[in-house]
Amino acid sequence: MDELWSKSQTRQSIIDRSGTKFNSAIDMDLAMRDAETRLQTGGGLLGKGGLSLSGILGDDDEDNASVSTVTMSVNPFLWRAALETIDFMPLNSADQAGGTIITDWYSTENNQRERCKLNIFITGKKLNTENLRVTSFCQEFNDIMWVNSKTEKEDNIKIENAILNKAKKLKLQSS
């Protein structure tokens, strides 16, 4: 970590250099955590070597030893419930180990001039409100271009509640 800080004095420089996909303007802490991981491992979640079959099968190869110990760091019921709740929207990316789901833009057939997308963050193993955050983005088409429109915080809370309720049902069904 000291080497990381010796090369840069600002958090934004670290984030810029790392190649993280997270927007620091939206969530500086998440972007910083991902940036530090990428810079320390030399790559993404699984480091320079990536994922290999020998690592999954648990061979004694030292380079892949850490791969076989990767575990789910988020609540599996929240994860599944989030995916099921938004299954009508196209996914841009989903990282189960990191707990992030990012949808692509979605419009309804009834209103093609408005589109929205979601970022869903699951941050812990417990099934509770504190471990789930939804951020929505919407745009309206003004005959020339897409323009950002204000999103209501209450709409994000409604989506969070739908995910939480579905997660609780999934947990009850698994018992």
Side-chain angles (χ1 to χ4, degrees):
M1 188 63 142
D2 292 332
E3 181 185 330
L4 178 70
W5 285 106
S6 69
K7 292 180 182 175
S8 174
Q9 296 300 315
T10 67
R11 292 172 60 132
Q12 191 60 48
S13 295
I14 293 170
I15 291 168
D16 293 343
R17 192 173 70 240
S18 74
T20 183
K21 303 294 185 215
F22 295 105
N23 186 339
S24 61
I26 294 172
D27 190 335
M28 176 64 89
D29 292 333
L30 178 63
M32 190 63 186
R33 281 195 313 268
D34 186 59
E36 289 172 344
T37 300
R38 286 174 180 273
L39 291 171
Q40 288 171 352
T41 64
L45 175 66
L46 300 172
K48 287 181 185 175
L51 183 62
S52 70
L53 186 57
S54 62
I56 293 171
L57 297 176
D59 285 355
D60 292 329
D61 184 5
E62 256 183 60
D63 292 338
N64 294 317
S66 64
V67 174
S68 62
T69 61
V70 173
T71 61
M72 183 184 289
S73 61
V74 299
N75 183 283
F77 300 111
L78 281 174
W79 178 258
R80 187 169 153 207
L83 288 174
E84 287 182 14
T85 301
I86 61 156
D87 66 355
F88 61 94
M89 297 181 82
L91 288 180
N92 189 347
S93 68
D95 176 9
Q96 188 171 6
T100 59
I101 300 170
I102 300 172
T103 69
D104 206 348
W105 291 106
Y106 173 78
S107 293
T108 63
E109 286 188 33
N110 296 338
N111 190 359
Q112 294 286 319
R113 299 178 69 80
E114 180 183 53
R115 65 184 187 176
C116 295
K117 68 184 294 183
L118 300 174
N119 291 353
I120 301 172
F121 302 100
I122 302 168
T123 57
K125 291 186 177 187
K126 291 185 179 180
L127 198 164
N128 60 27
T129 307
E130 292 79 28
N131 287 335
L132 176 65
R133 191 175 85 240
V134 173
T135 308
S136 61
F137 306 91
C138 293
Q139 295 180 335
E140 294 179 9
F141 194 69
N142 68 4
D143 293 325
I144 298 172
M145 59 191 248
W146 288 101
V147 178
N148 292 336
S149 60
K150 185 174 184 282
T151 56
E152 299 295 327
K153 191 172 188 171
E154 292 145 9
D155 292 336
N156 295 337
I157 293 170
K158 287 178 186 176
I159 298 168
E160 289 171 0
N161 288 338
I163 293 169
L164 285 165
N165 288 334
K166 186 174 281 281
K168 289 174 187 175
K169 288 178 186 174
L170 290 170
K171 185 174 181 179
L172 286 173
Q173 290 172 356
S174 73
S175 301

